[in-house]
Coordinates of all heavy atoms in Angstrom, one line a residue:
M1 N 9.3 3.7 6.6 CA 9.6 3.7 5.3 C 8.4 4.3 4.5 O 7.4 3.8 4.4 CB 9.9 2.3 4.8 CG 9.8 2.0 3.4 SD 10.3 0.3 3.0 CE 8.8 -0.6 3.5
P2 N 8.6 5.6 4.0 CA 7.5 6.2 3.3 C 7.4 5.6 1.8 O 8.3 5.1 1.3 CB 7.9 7.7 3.2 CG 9.3 7.7 3.4 CD 9.7 6.5 4.2
A3 N 6.2 5.7 1.2 CA 6.0 5.3 -0.1 C 6.8 6.1 -1.1 O 7.0 7.3 -0.8 CB 4.5 5.4 -0.4
K4 N 7.1 5.6 -2.2 CA 7.9 6.3 -3.2 C 7.1 6.8 -4.4 O 7.5 7.5 -5.2 CB 9.0 5.4 -3.7 CG 10.0 4.9 -2.6 CD 11.4 4.6 -3.2 CE 12.3 4.1 -2.2 NZ 12.6 4.9 -1.0
S5 N 5.8 6.4 -4.5 CA 4.9 6.8 -5.5 C 3.5 6.7 -5.0 O 3.2 6.0 -4.0 CB 5.1 6.0 -6.7 OG 4.7 4.7 -6.5
Q6 N 2.6 7.4 -5.7 CA 1.2 7.3 -5.4 C 0.6 6.0 -5.6 O -0.2 5.4 -4.8 CB 0.4 8.3 -6.3 CG 0.6 9.7 -5.9 CD -0.3 10.8 -6.7 OE1 -1.1 10.2 -7.4 NE2 0.1 12.0 -6.6
A7 N 1.1 5.2 -6.6 CA 0.7 3.9 -6.9 C 1.1 3.0 -5.8 O 0.3 2.1 -5.3 CB 1.3 3.4 -8.2
Q8 N 2.3 3.1 -5.2 CA 2.7 2.2 -4.1 C 1.9 2.6 -2.8 O 1.5 1.6 -2.1 CB 4.1 2.5 -3.8 CG 4.7 1.6 -2.7 CD 6.2 1.9 -2.5 OE1 6.6 3.0 -2.4 NE2 7.0 0.8 -2.3
Q9 N 1.6 3.8 -2.6 CA 0.7 4.2 -1.5 C -0.7 3.6 -1.5 O -1.1 3.1 -0.6 CB 0.7 5.8 -1.4 CG 0.1 6.3 -0.1 CD -1.4 6.6 -0.1 OE1 -1.9 6.6 -1.2 NE2 -2.0 6.8 0.9
K10 N -1.3 3.7 -2.7 CA -2.6 3.2 -2.9 C -2.6 1.6 -2.7 O -3.5 1.1 -2.1 CB -3.1 3.5 -4.3 CG -3.5 5.0 -4.5 CD -3.9 5.3 -5.9 CE -4.2 6.7 -6.1 NZ -4.7 7.0 -7.5
A11 N -1.6 0.9 -3.3 CA -1.5 -0.5 -3.1 C -1.4 -0.9 -1.7 O -1.9 -1.9 -1.3 CB -0.3 -1.0 -4.0
A12 N -0.6 -0.2 -1.0 CA -0.4 -0.4 0.5 C -1.7 -0.3 1.2 O -2.0 -1.1 2.1 CB 0.7 0.4 1.1
G13 N -2.4 0.8 0.9 CA -3.7 1.0 1.5 C -4.7 -0.1 1.3 O -5.4 -0.6 2.2
A14 N -4.8 -0.7 0.1 CA -5.6 -1.8 -0.3 C -5.2 -3.0 0.5 O -6.0 -3.8 1.0 CB -5.6 -2.0 -1.8
A15 N -3.9 -3.3 0.5 CA -3.3 -4.4 1.2 C -3.6 -4.4 2.7 O -4.0 -5.4 3.3 CB -1.9 -4.6 0.9
L16 N -3.5 -3.2 3.2 CA -3.8 -3.0 4.7 C -5.3 -3.3 5.0 O -5.6 -3.9 6.0 CB -3.4 -1.6 5.1 CG -3.6 -1.2 6.6 CD1 -2.8 -2.1 7.5 CD2 -3.2 0.2 6.8
S17 N -6.1 -2.8 4.2 CA -7.5 -3.1 4.3 C -7.9 -4.5 4.3 O -8.6 -5.0 5.1 CB -8.3 -2.3 3.2 OG -9.7 -2.5 3.3
A18 N -7.2 -5.2 3.4 CA -7.5 -6.7 3.3 C -6.9 -7.4 4.5 O -7.5 -8.3 5.1 CB -6.9 -7.2 2.0
K19 N -5.7 -7.0 4.9 CA -5.1 -7.6 6.1 C -5.9 -7.4 7.4 O -6.0 -8.3 8.2 CB -3.7 -7.1 6.3 CG -2.9 -7.9 7.4 CD -1.4 -7.6 7.4 CE -0.7 -8.3 6.3 NZ -0.2 -9.5 6.5
R20 N -6.6 -6.3 7.5 CA -7.4 -6.0 8.6 C -8.8 -6.7 8.6 O -9.6 -6.7 9.4 CB -7.6 -4.5 8.8 CG -6.4 -3.8 9.2 CD -6.6 -2.3 9.3 NE -5.5 -1.7 10.0 CZ -5.3 -0.3 10.0 NH1 -6.2 0.5 9.5 NH2 -4.3 0.2 10.6
G21 N -9.1 -7.1 7.3 CA -10.4 -7.8 7.1 C -11.5 -6.9 6.7 O -12.7 -7.3 6.6
D22 N -11.2 -5.7 6.3 CA -12.2 -4.7 5.9 C -12.6 -5.0 4.4 O -13.8 -4.7 4.1 CB -11.7 -3.3 6.0 CG -11.4 -2.8 7.4 OD1 -12.0 -3.4 8.3 OD2 -10.5 -2.0 7.6
T23 N -11.7 -5.6 3.6 CA -12.1 -6.0 2.2 C -11.7 -7.4 2.1 O -10.8 -7.9 2.8 CB -11.4 -5.1 1.2 OG1 -10.0 -5.2 1.4 CG2 -11.9 -3.7 1.3
E24 N -12.1 -8.1 1.0 CA -11.8 -9.5 0.7 C -10.4 -9.6 0.1 O -10.1 -8.8 -0.7 CB -12.9 -10.1 -0.2 CG -14.3 -10.2 0.4 CD -14.3 -11.2 1.5 OE1 -13.7 -12.2 1.4 OE2 -15.1 -10.9 2.5
K25 N -9.6 -10.5 0.6 CA -8.3 -10.7 -0.1 C -8.4 -11.1 -1.4 O -7.5 -10.8 -2.3 CB -7.5 -11.8 0.8 CG -7.2 -11.3 2.1 CD -6.4 -12.4 2.9 CE -6.1 -12.0 4.3 NZ -5.3 -12.9 5.0
S26 N -9.5 -11.7 -1.9 CA -9.7 -12.1 -3.3 C -9.9 -10.9 -4.3 O -9.7 -11.0 -5.4 CB -10.9 -13.0 -3.4 OG -12.1 -12.4 -3.0
E27 N -10.2 -9.7 -3.7 CA -10.3 -8.5 -4.5 C -9.0 -7.9 -4.9 O -8.9 -7.0 -5.7 CB -11.1 -7.5 -3.8 CG -12.6 -8.0 -3.6 CD -13.4 -6.9 -2.8 OE1 -13.0 -5.7 -2.8 OE2 -14.4 -7.2 -2.3
L28 N -7.9 -8.3 -4.2 CA -6.6 -7.7 -4.4 C -6.0 -8.1 -5.7 O -6.2 -9.3 -6.1 CB -5.6 -8.1 -3.3 CG -6.0 -7.5 -1.9 CD1 -4.9 -8.0 -0.9 CD2 -6.1 -6.0 -1.9
K29 N -5.3 -7.3 -6.4 CA -4.6 -7.6 -7.6 C -3.1 -7.1 -7.6 O -2.8 -6.1 -6.8 CB -5.3 -6.9 -8.8 CG -6.7 -7.3 -9.0 CD -7.3 -6.6 -10.1 CE -8.8 -6.8 -10.3 NZ -9.4 -6.0 -11.3
G30 N -2.3 -7.7 -8.3 CA -0.9 -7.2 -8.5 C -0.1 -6.9 -7.3 O 0.0 -7.8 -6.4
A31 N 0.4 -5.7 -7.2 CA 1.3 -5.4 -6.1 C 0.6 -5.5 -4.7 O 1.2 -5.9 -3.7 CB 1.8 -4.0 -6.3
S32 N -0.6 -5.1 -4.6 CA -1.3 -5.1 -3.4 C -1.4 -6.5 -2.8 O -1.4 -6.8 -1.6 CB -2.6 -4.4 -3.4 OG -3.5 -5.0 -4.4
K33 N -1.6 -7.5 -3.8 CA -1.8 -8.9 -3.4 C -0.5 -9.4 -2.7 O -0.5 -10.0 -1.7 CB -2.1 -9.7 -4.6 CG -2.5 -11.1 -4.3 CD -3.1 -11.8 -5.6 CE -3.9 -13.0 -5.3 NZ -4.4 -13.5 -6.5
S34 N 0.7 -9.1 -3.4 CA 1.9 -9.6 -2.8 C 2.4 -8.8 -1.6 O 3.0 -9.4 -0.7 CB 3.0 -9.5 -3.9 OG 3.2 -8.1 -4.3
M35 N 2.0 -7.5 -1.5 CA 2.2 -6.7 -0.3 C 1.5 -7.3 0.9 O 2.1 -7.4 2.0 CB 1.8 -5.2 -0.5 CG 2.6 -4.5 -1.3 SD 1.9 -2.9 -1.6 CE 3.3 -1.8 -1.5
E36 N 0.3 -7.7 0.7 CA -0.6 -8.2 1.8 C 0.1 -9.5 2.4 O 0.1 -9.8 3.6 CB -2.0 -8.5 1.3 CG -3.0 -8.8 2.4 CD -3.0 -10.3 2.8 OE1 -2.7 -11.1 2.0 OE2 -3.3 -10.5 4.0
K37 N 0.7 -10.3 1.5 CA 1.3 -11.6 1.9 C 2.6 -11.4 2.6 O 2.9 -12.1 3.5 CB 1.4 -12.5 0.7 CG 0.2 -13.1 0.2 CD 0.4 -14.0 -1.0 CE -1.0 -14.4 -1.7 NZ -0.7 -15.2 -2.8
S38 N 3.4 -10.5 2.1 CA 4.8 -10.3 2.5 C 5.1 -9.3 3.6 O 6.1 -9.3 4.2 CB 5.7 -10.1 1.3 OG 5.4 -8.9 0.8
M39 N 4.2 -8.4 3.8 CA 4.4 -7.3 4.7 C 3.5 -7.4 6.0 O 2.5 -7.9 6.0 CB 4.2 -6.0 4.1 CG 5.2 -5.7 2.9 SD 4.8 -4.2 2.0 CE 5.7 -3.1 3.1
S40 N 4.1 -6.9 7.1 CA 3.3 -6.8 8.3 C 2.3 -5.6 8.3 O 2.4 -4.7 7.5 CB 4.2 -6.6 9.5 OG 4.8 -5.3 9.5
E41 N 1.4 -5.7 9.2 CA 0.4 -4.6 9.2 C 1.1 -3.2 9.5 O 0.7 -2.2 9.0 CB -0.7 -4.9 10.3 CG -1.8 -3.9 10.3 CD -3.0 -4.3 11.3 OE1 -3.1 -5.5 11.5 OE2 -3.7 -3.4 11.6
K42 N 2.1 -3.3 10.4 CA 2.8 -2.1 10.7 C 3.5 -1.4 9.5 O 3.5 -0.3 9.3 CB 3.8 -2.3 11.8 CG 4.6 -1.1 12.3 CD 5.7 -1.4 13.3 CE 6.5 -0.2 13.7 NZ 7.6 -0.6 14.6
E43 N 4.2 -2.3 8.7 CA 4.8 -1.8 7.5 C 3.9 -1.2 6.5 O 4.1 -0.2 5.9 CB 5.6 -3.0 6.8 CG 6.8 -3.4 7.7 CD 7.4 -4.7 7.1 OE1 6.7 -5.7 6.7 OE2 8.7 -4.7 7.0
L44 N 2.7 -1.9 6.3 CA 1.7 -1.4 5.4 C 1.1 -0.1 5.8 O 0.9 0.8 5.0 CB 0.6 -2.5 5.2 CG 1.0 -3.7 4.5 CD1 -0.1 -4.8 4.6 CD2 1.2 -3.5 3.0
K45 N 0.9 0.0 7.1 CA 0.4 1.3 7.7 C 1.3 2.5 7.4 O 0.9 3.5 7.0 CB 0.2 1.1 9.2 CG -0.5 2.3 9.8 CD -0.8 2.0 11.2 CE -1.5 3.2 11.9 NZ -1.8 3.1 13.3
E46 N 2.6 2.2 7.6 CA 3.7 3.2 7.3 C 3.6 3.7 5.8 O 3.7 4.9 5.6 CB 5.1 2.7 7.6 CG 5.3 2.6 9.1 CD 6.7 2.1 9.5 OE1 7.6 2.1 8.6 OE2 6.9 1.6 10.6
L47 N 3.5 2.8 4.9 CA 3.4 3.1 3.5 C 2.1 3.8 3.2 O 2.1 4.8 2.4 CB 3.6 1.8 2.6 CG 4.9 1.2 2.5 CD1 4.8 -0.1 1.7 CD2 5.8 2.2 1.7
A48 N 1.1 3.3 3.7 CA -0.3 3.8 3.4 C -0.5 5.2 3.9 O -1.2 6.0 3.4 CB -1.4 2.9 3.9
Q49 N 0.2 5.6 5.0 CA 0.1 7.0 5.6 C 0.9 8.0 5.0 O 0.8 9.2 5.3 CB 0.4 6.8 7.1 CG -0.6 6.2 7.9 CD -0.2 6.2 9.4 OE1 0.9 6.3 9.8 NE2 -1.3 6.0 10.2
T50 N 1.7 7.7 4.0 CA 2.5 8.7 3.3 C 1.6 9.7 2.6 O 0.6 9.3 2.0 CB 3.4 8.0 2.2 OG1 4.2 7.1 2.8 CG2 4.3 9.0 1.5
D51 N 2.0 11.0 2.7 CA 1.1 12.0 2.1 C 1.3 11.9 0.5 O 2.4 11.9 0.0 CB 1.6 13.4 2.5 CG 0.8 14.5 2.0 OD1 -0.3 14.3 1.6 OD2 1.3 15.7 1.9
R52 N 0.2 11.7 -0.1 CA 0.2 11.4 -1.5 C 0.4 12.6 -2.4 O 0.9 12.5 -3.5 CB -1.2 10.9 -1.9 CG -1.3 10.2 -3.2 CD -2.7 9.7 -3.6 NE -3.2 8.8 -2.6 CZ -4.4 8.2 -2.5 NH1 -5.2 8.6 -3.5 NH2 -4.8 7.4 -1.5
K53 N 0.2 13.8 -1.9 CA 0.3 15.0 -2.7 C 1.8 15.3 -3.2 O 2.0 15.8 -4.2 CB -0.2 16.2 -1.9 CG -1.6 16.2 -1.7 CD -2.0 17.5 -0.8 CE -3.5 17.4 -0.5 NZ -3.9 18.5 0.3
K54 N 2.8 14.9 -2.4 CA 4.1 15.2 -2.7 C 4.8 14.0 -3.6 O 6.0 14.1 -3.9 CB 4.9 15.3 -1.5 CG 4.4 16.5 -0.6 CD 5.2 16.7 0.6 CE 4.6 17.8 1.5 NZ 5.3 18.0 2.8
L55 N 4.0 13.0 -3.8 CA 4.6 11.9 -4.6 C 4.3 11.9 -6.0 O 3.2 12.4 -6.5 CB 4.0 10.5 -4.0 CG 4.3 10.2 -2.5 CD1 3.5 9.0 -2.1 CD2 5.7 10.1 -2.3
P56 N 5.2 11.3 -6.9 CA 4.9 11.1 -8.3 C 3.8 10.0 -8.5 O 3.7 9.2 -7.6 CB 6.3 10.7 -8.8 CG 7.0 10.1 -7.8 CD 6.6 10.8 -6.5
K57 N 3.1 10.1 -9.6 CA 2.1 9.0 -9.8 C 2.7 7.6 -9.9 O 2.1 6.7 -9.4 CB 1.4 9.3 -11.1 CG 0.5 10.6 -11.0 CD -0.5 10.7 -12.1 CE -1.2 11.9 -12.1 NZ -2.3 12.0 -11.1
K58 N 3.8 7.5 -10.5 CA 4.6 6.2 -10.6 C 6.1 6.4 -10.4 O 6.6 7.6 -10.6 CB 4.4 5.6 -12.0 CG 3.0 5.1 -12.3 CD 3.0 4.3 -13.5 CE 1.6 3.7 -13.7 NZ 1.6 2.8 -14.9
K59 N 6.7 5.5 -9.8 CA 8.1 5.6 -9.6 C 8.9 5.6 -10.9 O 8.7 4.8 -11.7 CB 8.5 4.4 -8.7 CG 10.0 4.4 -8.3 CD 10.3 3.2 -7.5 CE 11.9 3.2 -7.3 NZ 12.3 1.9 -7.0
S60 N 9.8 6.6 -11.0 CA 10.6 6.7 -12.2 C 11.7 5.7 -12.1 O 12.2 5.4 -11.1 CB 11.1 8.0 -12.4 OG 11.9 8.4 -11.3
E61 N 12.1 5.1 -13.2 CA 13.2 4.1 -13.2 C 14.5 4.6 -12.8 O 15.0 5.7 -13.0 CB 13.3 3.5 -14.6 CG 12.0 2.8 -15.1 CD 11.7 1.5 -14.3 OE1 12.6 0.8 -13.9 OE2 10.5 1.3 -14.1

């Protein structure tokens, strides 16, 4: 499942970093905090690996 926006891709990267223990979970905010709790490392990795260049900055409604 690829990321749908640059913001989602960045949040997934931050959540993945915290899940792996590279950063503190207390540093997470907003979407990345809930992603870290609700998603597996594999799911986060898939979102975080999406090529950011082809994505919009934010998901349009």
Side-chain angles (χ1 to χ4, degrees):
M1 159 176 79
K4 301 208 184 296
S5 68
Q6 289 182 11
Q8 186 182 39
Q9 190 267 345
K10 289 178 185 180
L16 180 61
S17 178
K19 189 164 284 269
R20 289 180 173 169
D22 295 334
T23 58
E24 295 293 323
K25 291 181 181 182
S26 61
E27 293 179 22
L28 297 178
K29 298 177 186 176
S32 59
K33 192 173 195 175
S34 62
M35 285 175 141
E36 191 276 328
K37 290 179 183 178
S38 65
M39 299 177 81
S40 69
E41 187 172 335
K42 181 181 176 185
E43 292 171 316
L44 289 170
K45 186 176 179 183
E46 287 177 19
L47 282 175
Q49 285 183 336
T50 305
D51 185 20
R52 195 180 306 174
K53 291 179 184 177
K54 298 177 184 177
L55 297 174
K57 291 192 184 285
K58 290 189 175 183
K59 182 180 169 199
S60 60
E61 299 290 327

